[in-house]
Amino acid sequence: QVQLVESGGGLVQAGGSLRLSCAASDRTFSRYAAGWFRQAPATEREFVAGMSWDGTSAYVADSLKGRFFISRDIDRNTVYLRINSLHPEDAAVYRCAAGPMEPFDDRGSYTRAANYAVWGQGTQVTVSS
């Protein structure tokens, strides 16, 4: 089964930027949809962004548009999340997820965690004000 490993988190000042990476263990990932979710303490998991296997469909949560960008490099078997203008409320554990394309047919399908078959352990993002 595909395994996902996130990296790139850390402590950043408010207003700064980060690029999170999610590396997959095998080439099956190249045919999977991928997504990013985040969860802060005492809050529910929140959809951040999702992308189809070929990158032709990409979605970002409405409240995060303009600051969050998802991309993927098929050759590197990696999906990225670029975060600009970090706010203190962006602090959370960010996890990537992936799964076969079958259930991913519209924007809403990317926001549903149950549609993703595999998950990474997460990377912590901390924002200092």
Side-chain angles (χ1 to χ4, degrees), residues 2-5 21-32 34 53 71-80 96 98:
V2 174
Q3 294 182 327
L4 306 175
V5 178
S21 300
C22 173
S25 60
D26 68 61
R27 300 297 297 176
T28 304
F29 180 74
S30 66
R31 300 189 298 276
Y32 278 21
W53 73 274
S71 62
R72 68 191 300 170
D73 186 329
I74 293 175
D75 290 338
R76 294 181 183 273
N77 241 17
T78 301
V79 64
Y80 302 99
C96 70

PDB file of all heavy atoms in Angstrom, residues 2-5 21-32 34 53 71-80 96 98:
ATOM      1  N   VAL A   2       0.396   2.256  -0.672  1.00  0.00           N
ATOM      2  CA  VAL A   2       1.136   3.509  -0.728  1.00  0.00           C
ATOM      3  C   VAL A   2       1.285   4.075   0.678  1.00  0.00           C
ATOM      4  O   VAL A   2       0.340   4.064   1.467  1.00  0.00           O
ATOM      5  CB  VAL A   2       0.401   4.524  -1.628  1.00  0.00           C
ATOM      6  CG1 VAL A   2       1.090   5.875  -1.576  1.00  0.00           C
ATOM      7  CG2 VAL A   2       0.328   4.013  -3.049  1.00  0.00           C
ATOM      8  N   GLN A   3       2.469   4.571   0.971  1.00  0.00           N
ATOM      9  CA  GLN A   3       2.704   5.284   2.224  1.00  0.00           C
ATOM     10  C   GLN A   3       3.048   6.730   1.904  1.00  0.00           C
ATOM     11  O   GLN A   3       3.720   7.016   0.916  1.00  0.00           O
ATOM     12  CB  GLN A   3       3.827   4.616   3.018  1.00  0.00           C
ATOM     13  CG  GLN A   3       3.455   3.221   3.496  1.00  0.00           C
ATOM     14  CD  GLN A   3       4.552   2.595   4.329  1.00  0.00           C
ATOM     15  OE1 GLN A   3       5.729   2.834   4.111  1.00  0.00           O
ATOM     16  NE2 GLN A   3       4.151   1.814   5.317  1.00  0.00           N
ATOM     17  N   LEU A   4       2.580   7.625   2.768  1.00  0.00           N
ATOM     18  CA  LEU A   4       2.782   9.059   2.563  1.00  0.00           C
ATOM     19  C   LEU A   4       3.570   9.632   3.729  1.00  0.00           C
ATOM     20  O   LEU A   4       3.282   9.328   4.890  1.00  0.00           O
ATOM     21  CB  LEU A   4       1.429   9.770   2.458  1.00  0.00           C
ATOM     22  CG  LEU A   4       0.449   9.224   1.424  1.00  0.00           C
ATOM     23  CD1 LEU A   4      -0.888   9.962   1.522  1.00  0.00           C
ATOM     24  CD2 LEU A   4       1.026   9.344   0.025  1.00  0.00           C
ATOM     25  N   VAL A   5       4.531  10.478   3.421  1.00  0.00           N
ATOM     26  CA  VAL A   5       5.334  11.120   4.451  1.00  0.00           C
ATOM     27  C   VAL A   5       5.374  12.620   4.179  1.00  0.00           C
ATOM     28  O   VAL A   5       5.857  13.055   3.123  1.00  0.00           O
ATOM     29  CB  VAL A   5       6.765  10.552   4.488  1.00  0.00           C
ATOM     30  CG1 VAL A   5       7.590  11.282   5.545  1.00  0.00           C
ATOM     31  CG2 VAL A   5       6.742   9.057   4.759  1.00  0.00           C
ATOM     32  N   SER A  21       5.510  19.317   1.864  1.00  0.00           N
ATOM     33  CA  SER A  21       5.663  18.256   0.874  1.00  0.00           C
ATOM     34  C   SER A  21       5.060  16.963   1.393  1.00  0.00           C
ATOM     35  O   SER A  21       5.071  16.713   2.603  1.00  0.00           O
ATOM     36  CB  SER A  21       7.139  18.018   0.567  1.00  0.00           C
ATOM     37  OG  SER A  21       7.760  19.174   0.051  1.00  0.00           O
ATOM     38  N   CYS A  22       4.573  16.182   0.476  1.00  0.00           N
ATOM     39  CA  CYS A  22       4.032  14.867   0.813  1.00  0.00           C
ATOM     40  C   CYS A  22       4.589  13.891  -0.212  1.00  0.00           C
ATOM     41  O   CYS A  22       4.188  13.926  -1.383  1.00  0.00           O
ATOM     42  CB  CYS A  22       2.517  14.895   0.779  1.00  0.00           C
ATOM     43  SG  CYS A  22       1.747  13.291   0.973  1.00  0.00           S
ATOM     44  N   ALA A  23       5.514  13.071   0.235  1.00  0.00           N
ATOM     45  CA  ALA A  23       6.164  12.127  -0.656  1.00  0.00           C
ATOM     46  C   ALA A  23       5.519  10.753  -0.532  1.00  0.00           C
ATOM     47  O   ALA A  23       5.299  10.259   0.587  1.00  0.00           O
ATOM     48  CB  ALA A  23       7.648  12.042  -0.325  1.00  0.00           C
ATOM     49  N   ALA A  24       5.258  10.143  -1.659  1.00  0.00           N
ATOM     50  CA  ALA A  24       4.633   8.827  -1.676  1.00  0.00           C
ATOM     51  C   ALA A  24       5.677   7.746  -1.923  1.00  0.00           C
ATOM     52  O   ALA A  24       6.694   7.979  -2.560  1.00  0.00           O
ATOM     53  CB  ALA A  24       3.566   8.772  -2.756  1.00  0.00           C
ATOM     54  N   SER A  25       5.366   6.555  -1.430  1.00  0.00           N
ATOM     55  CA  SER A  25       6.348   5.466  -1.448  1.00  0.00           C
ATOM     56  C   SER A  25       6.421   4.725  -2.770  1.00  0.00           C
ATOM     57  O   SER A  25       7.431   4.067  -3.032  1.00  0.00           O
ATOM     58  CB  SER A  25       6.042   4.470  -0.323  1.00  0.00           C
ATOM     59  OG  SER A  25       4.744   3.921  -0.509  1.00  0.00           O
ATOM     60  N   ASP A  26       5.382   4.794  -3.581  1.00  0.00           N
ATOM     61  CA  ASP A  26       5.473   4.094  -4.858  1.00  0.00           C
ATOM     62  C   ASP A  26       4.656   4.773  -5.934  1.00  0.00           C
ATOM     63  O   ASP A  26       3.883   5.709  -5.678  1.00  0.00           O
ATOM     64  CB  ASP A  26       5.078   2.618  -4.696  1.00  0.00           C
ATOM     65  CG  ASP A  26       3.620   2.415  -4.388  1.00  0.00           C
ATOM     66  OD1 ASP A  26       2.751   2.808  -5.207  1.00  0.00           O
ATOM     67  OD2 ASP A  26       3.334   1.842  -3.325  1.00  0.00           O
ATOM     68  N   ARG A  27       4.816   4.291  -7.163  1.00  0.00           N
ATOM     69  CA  ARG A  27       4.283   4.980  -8.331  1.00  0.00           C
ATOM     70  C   ARG A  27       2.765   4.902  -8.443  1.00  0.00           C
ATOM     71  O   ARG A  27       2.168   5.619  -9.235  1.00  0.00           O
ATOM     72  CB  ARG A  27       4.921   4.409  -9.591  1.00  0.00           C
ATOM     73  CG  ARG A  27       6.425   4.541  -9.649  1.00  0.00           C
ATOM     74  CD  ARG A  27       6.867   5.969  -9.663  1.00  0.00           C
ATOM     75  NE  ARG A  27       6.402   6.692 -10.838  1.00  0.00           N
ATOM     76  CZ  ARG A  27       6.605   7.994 -11.028  1.00  0.00           C
ATOM     77  NH1 ARG A  27       7.252   8.705 -10.124  1.00  0.00           N
ATOM     78  NH2 ARG A  27       6.167   8.581 -12.111  1.00  0.00           N
ATOM     79  N   THR A  28       2.150   4.036  -7.645  1.00  0.00           N
ATOM     80  CA  THR A  28       0.682   3.977  -7.649  1.00  0.00           C
ATOM     81  C   THR A  28       0.103   5.354  -7.362  1.00  0.00           C
ATOM     82  O   THR A  28      -0.968   5.710  -7.849  1.00  0.00           O
ATOM     83  CB  THR A  28       0.195   2.970  -6.593  1.00  0.00           C
ATOM     84  OG1 THR A  28       0.800   1.700  -6.838  1.00  0.00           O
ATOM     85  CG2 THR A  28      -1.314   2.834  -6.641  1.00  0.00           C
ATOM     86  N   PHE A  29       0.815   6.114  -6.589  1.00  0.00           N
ATOM     87  CA  PHE A  29       0.377   7.446  -6.195  1.00  0.00           C
ATOM     88  C   PHE A  29       0.104   8.338  -7.389  1.00  0.00           C
ATOM     89  O   PHE A  29      -0.738   9.238  -7.316  1.00  0.00           O
ATOM     90  CB  PHE A  29       1.459   8.070  -5.304  1.00  0.00           C
ATOM     91  CG  PHE A  29       1.155   9.452  -4.815  1.00  0.00           C
ATOM     92  CD1 PHE A  29       0.212   9.653  -3.828  1.00  0.00           C
ATOM     93  CD2 PHE A  29       1.832  10.549  -5.327  1.00  0.00           C
ATOM     94  CE1 PHE A  29      -0.052  10.926  -3.359  1.00  0.00           C
ATOM     95  CE2 PHE A  29       1.582  11.819  -4.870  1.00  0.00           C
ATOM     96  CZ  PHE A  29       0.636  12.013  -3.878  1.00  0.00           C
ATOM     97  N   SER A  30       0.797   8.093  -8.488  1.00  0.00           N
ATOM     98  CA  SER A  30       0.634   8.941  -9.670  1.00  0.00           C
ATOM     99  C   SER A  30      -0.769   8.843 -10.259  1.00  0.00           C
ATOM    100  O   SER A  30      -1.165   9.705 -11.041  1.00  0.00           O
ATOM    101  CB  SER A  30       1.681   8.588 -10.728  1.00  0.00           C
ATOM    102  OG  SER A  30       1.455   7.280 -11.225  1.00  0.00           O
ATOM    103  N   ARG A  31      -1.511   7.819  -9.886  1.00  0.00           N
ATOM    104  CA  ARG A  31      -2.882   7.659 -10.383  1.00  0.00           C
ATOM    105  C   ARG A  31      -3.918   7.983  -9.302  1.00  0.00           C
ATOM    106  O   ARG A  31      -5.110   7.741  -9.510  1.00  0.00           O
ATOM    107  CB  ARG A  31      -3.085   6.239 -10.895  1.00  0.00           C
ATOM    108  CG  ARG A  31      -2.154   5.866 -12.040  1.00  0.00           C
ATOM    109  CD  ARG A  31      -2.532   4.533 -12.655  1.00  0.00           C
ATOM    110  NE  ARG A  31      -2.425   3.438 -11.704  1.00  0.00           N
ATOM    111  CZ  ARG A  31      -1.310   2.783 -11.424  1.00  0.00           C
ATOM    112  NH1 ARG A  31      -0.183   3.136 -12.017  1.00  0.00           N
ATOM    113  NH2 ARG A  31      -1.304   1.790 -10.562  1.00  0.00           N
ATOM    114  N   TYR A  32      -3.473   8.492  -8.185  1.00  0.00           N
ATOM    115  CA  TYR A  32      -4.352   8.793  -7.071  1.00  0.00           C
ATOM    116  C   TYR A  32      -4.691  10.278  -7.011  1.00  0.00           C
ATOM    117  O   TYR A  32      -3.855  11.134  -7.312  1.00  0.00           O
ATOM    118  CB  TYR A  32      -3.678   8.426  -5.756  1.00  0.00           C
ATOM    119  CG  TYR A  32      -3.757   6.974  -5.367  1.00  0.00           C
ATOM    120  CD1 TYR A  32      -4.011   5.970  -6.286  1.00  0.00           C
ATOM    121  CD2 TYR A  32      -3.560   6.603  -4.036  1.00  0.00           C
ATOM    122  CE1 TYR A  32      -4.065   4.647  -5.897  1.00  0.00           C
ATOM    123  CE2 TYR A  32      -3.622   5.286  -3.631  1.00  0.00           C
ATOM    124  CZ  TYR A  32      -3.864   4.312  -4.572  1.00  0.00           C
ATOM    125  OH  TYR A  32      -3.923   3.007  -4.178  1.00  0.00           O
ATOM    126  N   ALA A  34      -5.125  13.425  -4.542  1.00  0.00           N
ATOM    127  CA  ALA A  34      -4.388  13.779  -3.329  1.00  0.00           C
ATOM    128  C   ALA A  34      -5.040  14.988  -2.676  1.00  0.00           C
ATOM    129  O   ALA A  34      -5.643  15.826  -3.351  1.00  0.00           O
ATOM    130  CB  ALA A  34      -2.930  14.074  -3.660  1.00  0.00           C
ATOM    131  N   TRP A  53      -5.461  13.228 -10.031  1.00  0.00           N
ATOM    132  CA  TRP A  53      -4.205  12.532 -10.290  1.00  0.00           C
ATOM    133  C   TRP A  53      -3.353  13.250 -11.315  1.00  0.00           C
ATOM    134  O   TRP A  53      -2.121  13.249 -11.230  1.00  0.00           O
ATOM    135  CB  TRP A  53      -4.485  11.104 -10.752  1.00  0.00           C
ATOM    136  CG  TRP A  53      -5.023  11.028 -12.153  1.00  0.00           C
ATOM    137  CD1 TRP A  53      -6.324  11.140 -12.544  1.00  0.00           C
ATOM    138  CD2 TRP A  53      -4.272  10.839 -13.353  1.00  0.00           C
ATOM    139  NE1 TRP A  53      -6.432  11.043 -13.898  1.00  0.00           N
ATOM    140  CE2 TRP A  53      -5.190  10.850 -14.426  1.00  0.00           C
ATOM    141  CE3 TRP A  53      -2.914  10.657 -13.629  1.00  0.00           C
ATOM    142  CZ2 TRP A  53      -4.792  10.690 -15.750  1.00  0.00           C
ATOM    143  CZ3 TRP A  53      -2.506  10.488 -14.936  1.00  0.00           C
ATOM    144  CH2 TRP A  53      -3.447  10.512 -15.985  1.00  0.00           C
ATOM    145  N   SER A  71      -0.117  21.636  -5.495  1.00  0.00           N
ATOM    146  CA  SER A  71       0.497  21.234  -6.753  1.00  0.00           C
ATOM    147  C   SER A  71       1.077  19.838  -6.574  1.00  0.00           C
ATOM    148  O   SER A  71       1.166  19.332  -5.451  1.00  0.00           O
ATOM    149  CB  SER A  71       1.603  22.220  -7.157  1.00  0.00           C
ATOM    150  OG  SER A  71       2.632  22.244  -6.183  1.00  0.00           O
ATOM    151  N   ARG A  72       1.436  19.220  -7.671  1.00  0.00           N
ATOM    152  CA  ARG A  72       2.052  17.896  -7.569  1.00  0.00           C
ATOM    153  C   ARG A  72       3.083  17.722  -8.660  1.00  0.00           C
ATOM    154  O   ARG A  72       2.958  18.298  -9.743  1.00  0.00           O
ATOM    155  CB  ARG A  72       1.010  16.778  -7.585  1.00  0.00           C
ATOM    156  CG  ARG A  72       0.270  16.553  -8.855  1.00  0.00           C
ATOM    157  CD  ARG A  72      -0.909  15.593  -8.636  1.00  0.00           C
ATOM    158  NE  ARG A  72      -0.498  14.288  -8.142  1.00  0.00           N
ATOM    159  CZ  ARG A  72      -1.349  13.359  -7.700  1.00  0.00           C
ATOM    160  NH1 ARG A  72      -2.635  13.607  -7.662  1.00  0.00           N
ATOM    161  NH2 ARG A  72      -0.896  12.183  -7.268  1.00  0.00           N
ATOM    162  N   ASP A  73       4.085  16.937  -8.342  1.00  0.00           N
ATOM    163  CA  ASP A  73       5.145  16.588  -9.276  1.00  0.00           C
ATOM    164  C   ASP A  73       5.081  15.083  -9.451  1.00  0.00           C
ATOM    165  O   ASP A  73       5.488  14.326  -8.561  1.00  0.00           O
ATOM    166  CB  ASP A  73       6.503  17.027  -8.716  1.00  0.00           C
ATOM    167  CG  ASP A  73       7.638  16.821  -9.694  1.00  0.00           C
ATOM    168  OD1 ASP A  73       7.556  15.882 -10.506  1.00  0.00           O
ATOM    169  OD2 ASP A  73       8.608  17.593  -9.640  1.00  0.00           O
ATOM    170  N   ILE A  74       4.564  14.659 -10.591  1.00  0.00           N
ATOM    171  CA  ILE A  74       4.372  13.222 -10.815  1.00  0.00           C
ATOM    172  C   ILE A  74       5.712  12.503 -10.844  1.00  0.00           C
ATOM    173  O   ILE A  74       5.854  11.396 -10.307  1.00  0.00           O
ATOM    174  CB  ILE A  74       3.581  12.993 -12.117  1.00  0.00           C
ATOM    175  CG1 ILE A  74       2.149  13.529 -11.946  1.00  0.00           C
ATOM    176  CG2 ILE A  74       3.569  11.521 -12.481  1.00  0.00           C
ATOM    177  CD1 ILE A  74       1.309  13.456 -13.200  1.00  0.00           C
ATOM    178  N   ASP A  75       6.712  13.119 -11.444  1.00  0.00           N
ATOM    179  CA  ASP A  75       8.027  12.471 -11.539  1.00  0.00           C
ATOM    180  C   ASP A  75       8.631  12.244 -10.156  1.00  0.00           C
ATOM    181  O   ASP A  75       9.330  11.248  -9.931  1.00  0.00           O
ATOM    182  CB  ASP A  75       8.976  13.304 -12.388  1.00  0.00           C
ATOM    183  CG  ASP A  75       8.588  13.302 -13.854  1.00  0.00           C
ATOM    184  OD1 ASP A  75       7.883  12.362 -14.277  1.00  0.00           O
ATOM    185  OD2 ASP A  75       8.966  14.240 -14.568  1.00  0.00           O
ATOM    186  N   ARG A  76       8.378  13.161  -9.234  1.00  0.00           N
ATOM    187  CA  ARG A  76       8.914  13.040  -7.878  1.00  0.00           C
ATOM    188  C   ARG A  76       7.957  12.326  -6.935  1.00  0.00           C
ATOM    189  O   ARG A  76       8.272  12.166  -5.753  1.00  0.00           O
ATOM    190  CB  ARG A  76       9.244  14.427  -7.324  1.00  0.00           C
ATOM    191  CG  ARG A  76      10.374  15.126  -8.068  1.00  0.00           C
ATOM    192  CD  ARG A  76      10.663  16.485  -7.442  1.00  0.00           C
ATOM    193  NE  ARG A  76      11.695  17.214  -8.157  1.00  0.00           N
ATOM    194  CZ  ARG A  76      13.000  17.079  -7.911  1.00  0.00           C
ATOM    195  NH1 ARG A  76      13.412  16.273  -6.964  1.00  0.00           N
ATOM    196  NH2 ARG A  76      13.872  17.777  -8.610  1.00  0.00           N
ATOM    197  N   ASN A  77       6.784  11.947  -7.447  1.00  0.00           N
ATOM    198  CA  ASN A  77       5.801  11.242  -6.605  1.00  0.00           C
ATOM    199  C   ASN A  77       5.439  12.074  -5.369  1.00  0.00           C
ATOM    200  O   ASN A  77       5.299  11.526  -4.260  1.00  0.00           O
ATOM    201  CB  ASN A  77       6.384   9.906  -6.151  1.00  0.00           C
ATOM    202  CG  ASN A  77       5.578   8.725  -6.629  1.00  0.00           C
ATOM    203  OD1 ASN A  77       4.767   8.835  -7.534  1.00  0.00           O
ATOM    204  ND2 ASN A  77       5.785   7.579  -5.992  1.00  0.00           N
ATOM    205  N   THR A  78       5.289  13.353  -5.545  1.00  0.00           N
ATOM    206  CA  THR A  78       5.123  14.260  -4.416  1.00  0.00           C
ATOM    207  C   THR A  78       4.023  15.272  -4.705  1.00  0.00           C
ATOM    208  O   THR A  78       3.883  15.747  -5.839  1.00  0.00           O
ATOM    209  CB  THR A  78       6.451  15.006  -4.134  1.00  0.00           C
ATOM    210  OG1 THR A  78       7.473  14.050  -3.846  1.00  0.00           O
ATOM    211  CG2 THR A  78       6.306  15.954  -2.951  1.00  0.00           C
ATOM    212  N   VAL A  79       3.265  15.580  -3.676  1.00  0.00           N
ATOM    213  CA  VAL A  79       2.288  16.657  -3.748  1.00  0.00           C
ATOM    214  C   VAL A  79       2.711  17.728  -2.752  1.00  0.00           C
ATOM    215  O   VAL A  79       3.277  17.423  -1.701  1.00  0.00           O
ATOM    216  CB  VAL A  79       0.859  16.143  -3.475  1.00  0.00           C
ATOM    217  CG1 VAL A  79       0.712  15.614  -2.061  1.00  0.00           C
ATOM    218  CG2 VAL A  79      -0.168  17.213  -3.756  1.00  0.00           C
ATOM    219  N   TYR A  80       2.465  18.967  -3.108  1.00  0.00           N
ATOM    220  CA  TYR A  80       2.915  20.097  -2.306  1.00  0.00           C
ATOM    221  C   TYR A  80       1.728  20.958  -1.867  1.00  0.00           C
ATOM    222  O   TYR A  80       0.698  21.002  -2.520  1.00  0.00           O
ATOM    223  CB  TYR A  80       3.869  20.978  -3.114  1.00  0.00           C
ATOM    224  CG  TYR A  80       5.088  20.249  -3.635  1.00  0.00           C
ATOM    225  CD1 TYR A  80       5.132  19.789  -4.955  1.00  0.00           C
ATOM    226  CD2 TYR A  80       6.189  20.026  -2.825  1.00  0.00           C
ATOM    227  CE1 TYR A  80       6.244  19.122  -5.442  1.00  0.00           C
ATOM    228  CE2 TYR A  80       7.314  19.362  -3.307  1.00  0.00           C
ATOM    229  CZ  TYR A  80       7.331  18.917  -4.618  1.00  0.00           C
ATOM    230  OH  TYR A  80       8.438  18.260  -5.087  1.00  0.00           O
ATOM    231  N   CYS A  96      -1.434  14.944   4.631  1.00  0.00           N
ATOM    232  CA  CYS A  96      -1.834  14.682   3.262  1.00  0.00           C
ATOM    233  C   CYS A  96      -2.528  13.332   3.193  1.00  0.00           C
ATOM    234  O   CYS A  96      -2.366  12.476   4.087  1.00  0.00           O
ATOM    235  CB  CYS A  96      -0.656  14.750   2.301  1.00  0.00           C
ATOM    236  SG  CYS A  96       0.531  13.429   2.440  1.00  0.00           S
ATOM    237  N   ALA A  98      -4.421  10.435   0.145  1.00  0.00           N
ATOM    238  CA  ALA A  98      -4.516  10.074  -1.265  1.00  0.00           C
ATOM    239  C   ALA A  98      -5.435   8.871  -1.416  1.00  0.00           C
ATOM    240  O   ALA A  98      -5.662   8.109  -0.457  1.00  0.00           O
ATOM    241  CB  ALA A  98      -3.139   9.758  -1.825  1.00  0.00           C
TER     242      ALA A  98
END
